[in-house]
Amino acid sequence: MPPCIFCRKSDDCPNKYGEKKTYEKWNFSVHYYCLLMSSGIWQRGKEEEEVYGFLVEDIKKEVQRASKLFARKMVLQSDVLSFCWKHRPVQAMTSNMYRDSLPCTICLEFIDPIPTYSVLRSPCCKNAWFHRDCLQVQALSAGVFFFRCTLCNNTDIFQKEMLRMGIHIPEKDASWELEENAYEDLLQSHNRCDVRRCHCKKGRDYNEPNSKWEVKRCQCCGSSGTHVACSSLQLLEQNWECLDCRRISYSADFRKAPKHPLANSTNVTVTDCLLEEPSSKLPRHSAGNHHKELQRQGSKFKRDISTILEELGFQIKKKTKRLWINKANVWRSALEQFRSQKFNPSYTIEVIYVSENEKFLREHPVSTQEFLSHLMEHLEISSLFEGSLSKNLALNSQALKENLYYEAGKMLAISLVHGGPSPGFFSETLFNCLVYGPENTLPIFDDVSDFEVTQVIFKINAAADMSSLKSAINECYSYLECIGCLRLITTLSDKYMLVKDILFYHVIKRVQEPLKSFKQGLKTLGVLEKIQTYPDVFHKILCRKPENLSAKTLSDLFTVHGLPDGQTLRFWNSYLQAVEDGKSTTTMKDILIFATGCSSVPPAGFKPPPSIECLHVDFPVGNKCNNCLALPITNTFQEFQENMDFAIRDTLRLEKEEKSRSLSWTLTVSSNEEMLL
């Protein structure tokens, strides 16, 4: 591609140089901005004449002089004023400058908040900073009618300042408005059956008007549909509501049954019906909750959990707070320390374990990540949660009095921001309550851990006729009356809505106060806001346990520190492979705990990064404060493996004995609290 006749650059970058055109007739190419910045010529022709109204004869005369001006950065304003580097317009430095980096509000990459040629500040929002390139790209796309501040949507003040700083804003409509058939999808109506069990043999997309296979759209959202027969509707009925929209109206008064429950078969089980899943087309939360949906869409940006937690970590100050933790009672010690008036969650945490059972009081400095790992283990088995693997909040009146739900939320937030492990034990229902609100969450049968409540649900659901259904309701009449779930039963299918009422009460309504308190605690350091903004990202660490470690994962995780010994490093990699193949008495998890104190890689990563060093020692040594593993230099691989197995196995055995005593204390306290209820 021939270079521009003015700047001699071949670059074809419209946001930096303007549109580039090649004129074979006159044998040259030119950038649009280069023409405008050449002050020795002017438009003597009409707009469409020759080159943007500039005469070729004038252009050739100007080439020699104008080309010298492009050796340095310049600023071009819309009124065709151009400035050299020395006299360019600049933005004033404010007295209240930021110490930490801030994200560009367009690309979200972090920048130093100092006005420079390549970094600009919004004139209307003091917290809005931009890359010049990002602004120019947006201006070219949005045009004069849609180019505005990304935070407050101000147009006049914002455009005036950006023009002064040399951002070219073309007088055109936005690019998305000019795209042909850009909004064609909005003109199409939804014609598909989205209920869980579609009975139409011709498929979900089949739509035959004025028949039982006519597709009826949801009267609320219009983005979900059902065949008339698939939801047992009357042909002329128009008031069908999809599951998501019914959930909204249902949450307003959970005892009020919708007119047409979707499930209508007596052969459907509890887990199949009622608890019908939304179609794969729709998210599990409310389709009408537009604000939350926009936040969910925001998570589609390429953001990973480590980046988000790193941003939250910018709040942590260098000032340190030392925590004295009784190793035999981690939970209560942490609770006392976190409740102290001198504790600030934004301070850097230093942890000292104190062993009171020994003859002399001994202090053991430990890494913050190891302490947080122990704390999360205690939290998971505490009486604040119920369930086996996926847990929901439990109702504990003593914990409410002591404000422990708030403290638990605060501990989780602190753990995530300070580099602790991922909890991984939240149920889908608990997670959705945090993100979308309890009013937009539909609990499932697996959320119930109380045996007596599960029996009530099974008896009601197992009723095969009206007589057995009424008998089942009479057996638990007092319970249903107590929880406010008595309802008028006119058809057998009403049992499904009754079970929904019971589930909603037991899993959500019953623990409303604990949930409110827990969410307040999670607001510490802005964690809850990030969870609600990036639910897909946080779901992976709050609802799922980390994946099993592999030999390659550990090999890549540990970097070599100090003088490497080639043979020892080969033994190390062979040892990892032997552990993965089950030819060792240790596991990958054991090795990581031995070296770092953590059983998995924290979402924010290790600080400092784990390392290995080769030393002339008999057995490996794990320095958990520095995440460093010293490998013994041996003559044979068999000796290396035996020494590694013995040291890791013996050390972790002693640590597990101490930890089990501490965990048993937590379980004892939890059981005592439950007995008081």
Side-chain angles (χ1 to χ4, degrees), residues 323-342:
L323 304 181
W324 301 87
I325 303 297
N326 183 352
K327 196 172 183 180
N329 189 354
V330 174
W331 164 257
R332 279 293 171 183
S333 295
L335 195 60
E336 292 173 2
Q337 296 286 318
F338 286 174
R339 282 176 166 176
S340 170
Q341 292 183 350
K342 296 182 179 179

Side-chain angles (χ1 to χ4, degrees), residues 176 179-189:
W176 57 85
E179 185 178 344
E180 188 176 359
N181 297 325
Y183 304 101
E184 185 178 5
D185 291 343
L186 298 179
L187 303 177
Q188 299 178 0
S189 59

